[in-house]
Amino acid sequence: MSNPAYVVAKENDNRSIWRFIFNELKPKGKWLTPFNIISIPIILLGLALIVIRFWKGIGSITNLTQEIPWGLWIGFDVVTGVAFAGGAYVLTFMVYILNLKKYHSIVRITVLNGFLAYVFYAGALLLDLGRPWNVVNPIIGNNFGTSSVLFLVAWHFMLYMIAELIEFSPTIAEWLGARRARKILSGMTIGAVIFGITLSTLHQSGLGALYLMAKDKIHPLWYSEFIPVLFLVSSIFAGLSMVIFEGSISHKVFFSKISEKNHKAQKGILTGLSKICAGAMFAYFFLQLLVFIHGKHWDLLNSPMGYWFLVEMFGFVLLPMLLFVYSYRKSNILMVRVAAILTMLGIIINRLNVTVIGFRWDAPVHYFPSWMEIVVTLAVIFTEIWIFRWIINRMPVLNDPPSWAKED
Amino acid sequence: MIINLNIKTMSLDRRNFIKTIGFAGLTLAVGKGFGSPNPNEDDTEFHAMLFDSTICIGCRSCENACAKAHDFPEPDDELKAGVIRKTNETRRGVINKYDTSKGELFVRNQCMHCNEPACAAACLTQAMYKTREGPVIWREDKCMGCRYCMVSCPFDVPKFEYHSANPKIQKCDMCYDRIIKGEIPACAEACGDALIFGTRRELLAEAHKRIAENPKDYNGKIYGEDVAGGTGLLYLASADFDELGFNTKLQNSSYPELSKGFLFSVPSIFVLLPPLLLGIREATKNNLPKEEENE
């Protein structure tokens, strides 16, 4: 089908929508980019490993043991990935609840990023489930394990994915040229945002609450009854740092898609975000300090795990916090990015300390992920970036919506 | 009891979800214990087992009976003091040998069948389930293999079949199928004196009686009476429990208690946060010149 024909047909004919989608499925642009050359073999290898995993069992490609049943796939893919996806609820809170219109131009890409993160990283959970065909059981009531924190987290993941899809759906409608659908869907945005923020508050903290019963298994410097609060507060700056990081990359890679006006607004957005990050990190650092003093673990500081704790707190919380303060005072964009990357490393370290490194720190045999677990994790991340790129190249995420959408 | 939900028979739809979450908190607060059924309706007592290490001679007939009852290979490794044998996917209960200040002692290790099990509270499908007869059982048709029970169990009891495409969780179920038929667990039947089966109340009384009658033979404590909120496996020993591989640092309150506060806060956040968000939105809206809505 030639191009002019479907553009004309698109407006009226329903059937040609499918032709349009079919055409859009084809790749656009060059194939042999450095990213593709690296990612394609890893994704293919990851797929092969996934086949082995379902054929021979989880133990065939992971290093998990009876004492350490959750490893990289939970600790990094799910727990860390969801913290990074927190940008969506923070940003929708700022734009739709606090009416900070300044950040409006990055809402779509952040929500898209958050949505895909949930789909892929929570989706990666299916690989870690021994009996994934039973995954619908807590949804259909076989049975409702309402005393379980994981029950809450599972429901919230599902509902939050729906909420984020609704938040993003006007963009899809614009891409398809569906005017009426767009109108209905944008009317649902506020409801989805409020529902989404409530869900996020509960499951960001819920991911921490999962570990509350593992009291004797997590190193005391990382275990406290305040894990849920710490996880919630840290998800604020984890998410925003991801927004800064991802925004900086998208800004270069998809340069031509961004309008002049939004290019100019970027600096103000980044310094604004760094201010919020600094504030949230100050609160977090203070909370950590209170929890530490409350826990009375001074003696533990003078041990390898104690040094590691200090590195996390000073090198990856206090230092990036000061960098954020410096960067918004001096409007130094480079420093914003450096601080964001340090913060993200700090979040990875923190989540892994709770879930993997500090979990059974005293066990004679330590868990270290196998190369195959790492490849599968990379394959999941790369596939997500592929889908992300595919959507940005087609839907009005970074570029301005079509003119008809503004008139409505 | 005001709120006594039978969660199993409650039919739910999505609109009721919030309510369910709310009840999760409420049942935790009001319910007498996790998974413990309505005590008003039937007088079934929790069953339990009492292991007396002053009697056990390490013959391991309990291990063999267990393997036979559940179609597992018979254990053929030797007992050696200092080598701790663990339960695994094909071995639900083990006997270990310890050199202690009171001489050579044998201790059995298996699922503790807690009164308020962390594994059952952790299970999001109630596959791990505290029956009203006392045993904590695993139900294959419900489990999704998330292994959160393993993360939560303070005794590291549930074992996962890592090398199976259709993996199961393996743990002692106190021979639940035999108990409901009125029989006693295979291990207790094979043993006869060191490991005895009965209701938890009777066995606790028996344990206290043995300590009172022969105070010199025992260390004076019953492991399982209080630990983790009380367990269905009760232990007597002459040497200190520290010397016998028991984790004596575990808390005496139940483990589900630890996430109670969080679950209890869920309904209030669900009710309070959305109106608060709406309120902030309305309050901040007027400060700005009117812009396009919802976008």
Side-chain angles (χ1 to χ4, degrees):
Chain A
M1 187 131 224
S2 65
N3 262 3
Y6 87 68
V7 172
V8 175
K10 195 176 114 185
E11 294 293 324
N12 322 320
D13 193 355
N14 238 340
R15 238 184 59 218
S16 62
I17 282 235
W18 299 108
R19 292 223 178 94
F20 166 71
I21 291 176
F22 181 73
N23 270 310
E24 291 277 271
L25 279 176
K26 292 178 190 163
K28 289 179 174 180
K30 277 189 299 180
W31 262 96
L32 290 175
T33 59
F35 173 74
N36 287 2
I37 292 171
I38 297 170
S39 64
I40 290 174
I42 290 183
I43 292 174
L44 291 177
L45 184 57
L47 281 175
L49 291 171
I50 289 170
V51 170
I52 297 174
R53 173 255 169 274
F54 280 106
W55 178 29
K56 296 266 188 182
I58 293 174
S60 59
I61 68 166
T62 69
N63 280 348
L64 296 173
T65 63
Q66 301 293 358
E67 282 78 31
I68 300 163
W70 283 359
L72 187 73
W73 290 351
I74 300 287
F76 182 75
D77 299 20
V78 180
V79 179
T80 314
V82 167
F84 284 146
Y89 88 90
V90 180
L91 211 67
T92 52
F93 176 74
M94 286 156 59
V95 171
Y96 294 107
I97 306 297
L98 296 180
N99 284 302
L100 301 171
K101 295 292 179 196
K102 178 175 148 190
Y103 302 97
H104 195 262
S105 63
I106 56 166
V107 162
R108 281 191 172 182
I109 190 158
T110 308
V111 169
L112 172 66
N113 210 353
F115 173 67
L116 290 179
Y118 272 84
V119 170
F120 276 87
Y121 303 152
L125 198 71
L126 287 180
L127 303 176
D128 197 68
L129 290 184
R131 311 165 60 81
W133 51 89
N134 276 343
V135 72
V136 293
N137 276 352
I139 311 289
I140 61 171
N142 182 26
N143 288 2
F144 295 121
T146 45
S147 59
S148 170
V149 179
L150 195 57
F151 178 79
L152 173 121
V153 171
W155 266 92
H156 279 203
F157 274 6
M158 188 193 68
L159 294 174
Y160 189 58
M161 275 187 232
I162 296 170
E164 285 206 306
L165 186 60
I166 293 173
E167 285 169 30
F168 186 69
S169 59
T171 316
I172 303 175
E174 284 166 17
W175 168 61
L176 294 172
R179 288 186 175 213
R180 277 198 58 193
R182 185 193 172 278
K183 208 164 184 186
I184 299 167
L185 291 169
S186 13
M188 293 160 73
T189 302
I190 287 303
V193 163
I194 289 180
F195 191 47
I197 295 170
T198 311
L199 291 169
S200 293
T201 314
L202 288 170
H203 72 245
Q204 290 286 359
S205 50
L207 281 175
L210 281 180
Y211 288 88
L212 285 176
M213 281 201 283
K215 189 184 173 190
D216 313 290
K217 302 187 183 181
I218 296 173
H219 191 281
L221 285 172
W222 283 275
Y223 181 90
S224 78
E225 53 189 307
F226 301 103
I227 300 183
V229 182
L230 294 171
F231 268 45
L232 176 64
V233 177
S234 54
S235 76
I236 296 172
F237 56 82
L240 289 183
S241 295
M242 184 53 138
V243 170
I244 294 169
F245 178 73
E246 167 273 318
S248 301
I249 293 173
S250 302
H251 216 76
K252 288 217 170 65
V253 177
F254 303 105
F255 188 82
S256 58
K257 294 202 155 278
I258 301 168
S259 71
E260 192 70 17
K261 186 176 140 229
N262 288 345
H263 268 301
K264 281 183 186 150
Q266 212 222 3
K267 195 167 180 181
I269 290 177
L270 289 188
T271 45
L273 290 179
S274 59
K275 203 169 179 174
I276 300 166
C277 279
M281 289 173 91
F282 179 75
Y284 176 73
F285 189 77
F286 194 68
L287 269 172
Q288 283 279 17
L289 190 70
L290 285 182
V291 169
F292 173 73
I293 293 169
H294 189 75
K296 298 180 189 131
H297 294 309
W298 290 98
D299 51 320
L300 292 175
L301 281 186
N302 194 14
S303 69
M305 285 306 263
Y307 306 145
W308 182 227
F309 178 75
L310 292 175
V311 167
E312 184 195 319
M313 287 305 135
F314 289 102
F316 293 96
V317 182
L318 194 65
L319 176 65
M321 184 194 96
L322 295 174
L323 287 178
F324 273 129
V325 173
Y326 172 84
S327 59
Y328 79 69
R329 288 230 167 140
K330 304 268 173 189
S331 289
N332 186 336
I333 298 301
L334 177 71
M335 243 351 129
V336 175
R337 288 175 183 152
V338 172
I341 290 171
L342 268 181
T343 307
M344 289 169 65
L345 285 175
I347 289 293
I348 295 174
I349 291 171
N350 173 260
R351 295 304 194 262
L352 291 183
N353 276 341
V354 174
T355 59
V356 177
I357 300 169
F359 191 88
R360 276 305 163 99
W361 83 102
D362 52 352
V365 183
H366 282 279
Y367 161 85
F368 192 83
S370 69
W371 66 268
M372 293 177 279
E373 288 177 79
I374 296 170
V375 167
V376 170
T377 298
L378 286 175
V380 170
I381 295 172
F382 282 139
T383 315
E384 192 214 344
I385 296 175
W386 271 70
I387 304 283
F388 184 70
R389 186 177 62 174
W390 184 88
I391 292 175
I392 291 196
N393 275 330
R394 281 156 187 81
M395 298 183 195
V397 179
L398 282 171
N399 43 335
D400 289 336
S403 52
W404 59 263
K406 278 182 188 152
E407 291 156 20
D408 280 352
Chain B
M1 193 173 277
I2 309 161
I3 293 164
N4 207 317
L5 284 172
N6 191 345
I7 295 165
K8 260 197 295 189
T9 56
M10 215 169 66
S11 77
L12 288 179
D13 58 21
R14 190 169 295 166
R15 271 176 313 171
N16 274 334
F17 164 64
I18 296 173
K19 263 163 80 187
T20 315
I21 289 292
F23 284 135
L26 287 173
T27 41
L28 275 160
V30 183
K32 274 213 160 169
F34 257 87
S36 63
N38 190 340
N40 300 331
E41 276 170 16
D42 76 272
D43 51 3
T44 312
E45 279 188 62
F46 280 175
H47 289 79
M49 292 202 280
L50 172 64
F51 178 84
D52 190 335
S53 83
T54 62
I55 301 175
C56 179
I57 50 162
C59 74
R60 297 164 72 189
S61 53
C62 56
E63 282 187 13
N64 290 327
C66 180
K68 210 172 280 172
H70 301 104
D71 289 328
F72 291 133
E74 289 207 358
D76 50 5
D77 49 339
E78 295 242 329
L79 289 195
K80 242 163 70 188
V83 179
I84 295 184
R85 300 160 68 239
K86 290 181 173 172
T87 56
N88 59 31
E89 309 97 285
T90 60
R91 198 157 71 179
R92 293 182 176 183
V94 291
I95 294 283
N96 277 316
K97 185 157 127 183
Y98 295 91
D99 273 333
T100 72
S101 52
K102 308 273 175 183
E104 202 167 72
L105 290 175
F106 299 92
V107 171
R108 185 173 162 83
N109 176 272
Q110 59 159 92
C111 174
M112 298 291 285
H113 298 283
C114 306
N115 290 350
E116 298 180 40
C119 59
C123 186
L124 74 170
T125 59
Q126 296 183 336
M128 211 48 106
Y129 184 69
K130 178 77 174 171
T131 59
R132 43 184 222 153
E133 291 85 1
V136 179
I137 59 167
W138 175 78
R139 300 185 286 186
E140 184 170 6
D141 59 321
K142 301 188 190 295
C143 175
M144 59 163 81
C146 72
R147 309 191 291 289
Y148 186 32
C149 50
M150 301 167 70
V151 171
S152 304
C153 174
F155 302 101
D156 274 336
V157 164
K159 306 291 176 198
F160 182 76
E161 293 176 347
Y162 279 109
H163 291 278
S164 162
N166 181 14
K168 298 185 181 74
I169 295 281
Q170 292 289 358
K171 69 177 268 303
C172 161
D173 62 356
M174 222 195 262
C175 290
Y176 183 60
D177 48 338
R178 294 167 65 108
I179 290 179
I180 49 177
K181 278 191 279 180
E183 298 167 27
I184 72 170
C187 52
E189 189 181 68
C191 179
D193 52 358
L195 186 65
I196 56 174
F197 174 77
T199 68
R200 187 168 187 272
R201 190 173 47 82
E202 288 164 4
L203 292 179
L204 212 47
E206 169 69 20
H208 279 293
K209 199 178 106 197
R210 287 188 193 179
I211 294 175
E213 282 172 1
N214 299 301
K216 276 184 196 155
D217 292 349
Y218 295 100
N219 63 18
K221 290 182 202 130
I222 304 167
Y223 193 86
E225 185 173 19
D226 301 313
V227 71
T231 65
L233 248 277
L234 302 167
Y235 287 91
L236 288 174
S238 48
D240 279 343
F241 287 119
D242 288 327
E243 294 180 71
L244 295 167
F246 288 91
N247 189 345
T248 49
K249 288 184 188 136
L250 298 183
Q251 61 175 27
N252 278 343
S253 52
S254 85
Y255 277 77
E257 200 89 353
L258 292 168
S259 49
K260 192 177 98 173
F262 174 77
L263 285 169
F264 191 67
S265 70
V266 169
S268 21
I269 288 177
F270 238 110
V271 172
L272 297 176
L273 195 55
L276 180 71
L277 293 173
L278 262 180
I280 299 174
R281 176 178 154 81
E282 289 306 313
T284 53
K285 210 175 192 175
N286 301 332
N287 300 337
L288 295 162
K290 276 204 170 169
E291 284 186 62
E292 44 183 338
E293 296 216 346
N294 301 348
E295 246 295 296

